[in-house]
Amino acid sequence: MRKLFIFILLIAFVVLFVLYLPKDAPGHIERGPNYEAAVDTLVQKKLDYLQENGIDILVEGKSLRRFGYRLMLEEGTKLLASESFMEDIMGCSVIRYKNGEVKVDRARTSLDYSSSDIKEAEDGEIYIPISDYIDQLGYEVSFSFTKDYVDFKNTDNNNYLPDAYDMRDYGRVTSVKDQGSWGTCWAFSSLGALETVNMPLEELDFSEDHMSINNDFSLDLSEGGDHSMSIAYLASWKGPVYEEDDPYGDGESDSSLTAIKHLKEALIMEDRDDKKIKSAIFKYGGVETSIYMEMPYGDSSSEYYNNETCSYYYDGEEGPTHDLVIVGWNDNYPKENFAKKPENDGAYICKNSWGEKFGEGGYFYVSYEDVNICSQSIVYTKLEDPGNYDNIYQSDILGWVGKMGYNSESAYCANVYTAESDEVLKAISFYATGPDTSFKVFVVTDYKDMSSLNSGRKEVGNGETRYAGYYTVDLNQDIKLKKGQKFAVIMSIKTPGSERPIAIECDGGERTEELDLTDGEGYISAYGEVWVRAEDEEANVCLKAFTDKDR
């Protein structure tokens, strides 16, 4: 990969005619004294250009340009890959430590980098040298400097997962907690998974009390909840807050507390796929999921639980009743360890919320063959400091409650907001209601009436999502707004197989009694031409906008 391939050949031909000097024999040429320096100069200029403007990244010949991944080039063709590229595309586990060191794991390869090896970009993303280890990481790389791309080709059939993995071995989990007699396992599993996102670089203890009381849903602590409530609470900047500021168990909560982190992305895996679940744990953190738990609490017994081996396997017909966090797996965990023996070996390692006296210090093993485990799984992938944006504009405090559309996998939606000060529109967020969703983002900066949604819109972003979930999209340009200026954010969205691709806040029964349809101005459309007011259809559009102060 250290050869410059086509580009070097091109340079060689140019220099051949420009810098070679004729000898005595007619038609014979030789290199001039400045040949090598000229080649080095031209190559370096090309590399400098690529470093500044970006080089297209191909995987198996397919461009990833629209997904925004970047590489760094140093000392010729020495590659540094971004953390997100190594996780999302190469299948690596990238673990950052407080002292600046970084560990990269992939299958049976484990690489340790010192802080001096790592480059950090202005946006905080780190870049890791991979040229010397590319074959160990399961890839080979080729360059084209005439077409400005680098192509990654996988060499190990994407077998990037080890047979066993335990986040506890890498300091990637927080302490086990006890939910007591309350029906708050959903909050413990959500925040337990959320706490792992930036570990061990950053270890935080979030308040389950605050999430379970200050979520705007009409449920008390004994009625339980689910991940949709957790995501809505986090996406609306209600939380998370520190556990020490709102301790669990007193039945009271301080609603004036502000979020110490902002959620940017949460993936919802709706179908069981063990490789995807393991990959999420390996690359991103704990996975929130549910099982049917016959035992009401840890001091009880069940025919499905082996107290001696701390293992659980349910093969009945009941649906999920208890939330937990998956923190690892073991493909070779013996089937003989279960009270009811499944057909095959293998188990997920799960963190429970019944205190350390339950199971193996609060953890237990759930068979791969459990009928409910991972039937739906949530992984929180992007969590940032609260300064990532200054302001949030929203009308969907309860988040994704229902769906709307026109019996088609495609539709348009929009929300209109009024700038509260001189600001810069930086990003939007939305829910993808199914996998493989594609979208485009538009902005209208001078909104007057519904007709502005057609005549004044400007495209400012686009992309695709692999899973259902909550996503934040940074715009490809800054949009300046003046105080009092009405503006609209618009999305065209396509979710294969769906008849209603638009996520909405709407009446969802008793738990949504606090639904407020007076706080928004939303619109929906089949083709982006004729629009209908969403509130007239008893719904708010789940489409938020984020701004910074215009300093």
Side-chain angles (χ1 to χ4, degrees), residues 259-292:
I260 58 172
K261 289 288 183 180
H262 287 164
L263 178 68
K264 287 196 71 174
E265 184 177 282
L267 312 181
I268 302 173
M269 302 179 190
E270 298 177 318
D271 297 316
R272 172 74 178 266
D273 186 320
D274 286 326
K275 184 173 182 179
K276 291 179 180 178
I277 300 301
K278 294 173 184 177
S279 177
I281 298 165
F282 191 57
K283 296 188 288 187
Y284 305 123
V287 171
E288 175 185 357
T289 191
S290 306
I291 62 171
Y292 171 74

Side-chain angles (χ1 to χ4, degrees), residues 459-514:
E459 184 174 339
V460 290
N462 61 77
E464 298 178 6
T465 70
R466 293 178 61 191
Y467 305 102
Y470 174 76
Y471 294 89
T472 302
V473 182
D474 291 317
L475 306 186
N476 59 26
Q477 57 188 280
D478 290 345
I479 306 296
K480 291 201 171 187
L481 304 168
K482 291 294 184 181
K483 181 178 181 180
Q485 181 177 345
K486 293 191 74 173
F487 66 98
V489 290
I490 306 168
M491 284 196 72
S492 67
I493 192 164
K494 180 179 180 181
T495 303
S498 175
E499 295 184 348
R500 298 183 300 276
I502 302 171
I504 57 170
E505 179 193 46
C506 60
D507 185 356
E510 292 183 359
R511 72 174 189 162
T512 58
E513 289 179 356
E514 300 299 319

Side-chain angles (χ1 to χ4, degrees), residues 212-224:
S212 56
I213 295 176
N214 289 286
N215 55 60
D216 287 297
F217 287 85
S218 305
L219 295 173
D220 63 35
L221 296 180
S222 63
E223 294 181 275

Side-chain angles (χ1 to χ4, degrees), residues 62-123:
K62 296 181 180 179
S63 173
L64 301 182
R65 187 182 296 277
R66 63 187 172 192
F67 296 102
Y69 294 110
R70 292 182 66 88
L71 300 170
M72 284 187 178
L73 291 167
E74 290 189 344
E75 299 176 10
T77 55
K78 183 178 179 182
L79 279 176
L80 287 82
S82 67
E83 177 182 12
S84 59
F85 177 80
M86 294 187 70
E87 289 179 336
D88 298 347
I89 306 302
M90 298 182 70
C92 298
S93 170
V94 180
I95 304 174
R96 300 172 63 177
Y97 294 92
K98 294 179 181 179
N99 62 1
E101 295 179 354
V102 172
K103 175 180 282 292
V104 175
D105 289 326
R106 189 182 188 278
R108 294 176 178 83
T109 295
S110 185
L111 305 173
D112 294 305
Y113 294 88
S114 68
S115 57
S116 60
D117 297 323
I118 307 302
K119 305 294 183 182
E120 185 170 349
E122 292 182 0
D123 61 2

Side-chain angles (χ1 to χ4, degrees), residues 70 82 124 128 257 431 433:
R70 292 182 66 88
S82 67
I128 303 165
L257 294 173
Y431 290 90
T433 59

